[in-house]
Amino acid sequence: MKMSSRAVVSHVPYSVSQCALDIVATEEMEPHSKGALVSAAKKRLKAHIALNWLIYIAYKQDLDMTPGLANHIVKGWIGRSISRSLLKKLFSVSSRSAGDKSIDAQKVDEVVVSYRDNVLRDMNNSLIEVESEAALLLHR
């Protein structure tokens, strides 16, 4: 089912500021615990950015976006998956079964290549902002 015939998709945002606050909250922790939590915060931010791009592209190109198609696109951008349950929440249609493949499955490579640089640039710029904001918060 094309995105133009679906309700607008939304998800819980995870902002640069929230990521910075999560990182600052680890300041007094042991290094091994701190590293894991900082890494998790940065992964959440990257997932949020990838989801925003998926939603944008799905509507812009009126794709038949399924959780599987979204997963393949994200893997093409960042080399790993993001929450399958979140992808299901955002892109599944109750009348569709797992065997109903997207009619746009052949567009994965095109979408990955067309948007990869923009997605990665957004992620890198956001991580730079996180580091800057976290540093400001720590030195107040």
Side-chain angles (χ1 to χ4, degrees), residues 2-131:
K2 294 287 190 173
M3 293 304 289
S4 60
S5 59
R6 297 190 208 178
V8 175
V9 176
S10 66
H11 65 96
V12 177
Y14 187 73
S15 67
V16 167
S17 294
Q18 184 60 54
C19 186
L21 287 170
D22 287 348
I23 290 170
V24 169
T26 67
E27 192 57 28
E28 301 298 321
M29 296 181 149
E30 294 294 323
H32 63 280
S33 298
K34 178 180 178 175
L37 292 173
V38 168
S39 177
K42 290 179 179 182
K43 284 181 181 180
R44 278 192 301 277
L45 182 60
K46 287 179 181 181
H48 169 74
I49 292 165
L51 286 171
N52 282 341
W53 274 101
L54 284 171
I55 293 166
Y56 169 76
I57 293 163
Y59 283 102
K60 180 179 181 195
Q61 294 192 10
D62 196 22
L63 295 175
D64 177 27
M65 187 66 77
T66 62
L69 181 62
N71 186 50
H72 290 298
I73 292 169
V74 171
K75 279 184 178 179
W77 288 338
I78 61 176
R80 65 176 184 80
S81 185
I82 59 177
S83 169
R84 292 290 292 207
S85 62
L86 185 54
L87 293 176
K88 284 180 186 177
K89 177 183 166 195
L90 294 173
F91 298 114
S92 66
V93 177
S94 60
S95 62
R96 181 179 232 148
S97 71
D100 297 330
K101 303 299 179 200
S102 171
I103 59 174
D104 291 325
Q106 75 280 1
K107 294 183 180 179
V108 169
D109 292 337
E110 174 190 333
V111 170
V112 167
V113 170
S114 295
Y115 292 94
R116 179 187 292 132
D117 290 343
N118 292 327
V119 172
L120 295 178
R121 184 173 33 256
D122 278 1
M123 288 178 180
N124 288 332
N125 289 342
S126 293
L127 291 174
I128 291 167
E129 287 180 49
V130 164
E131 295 296 329

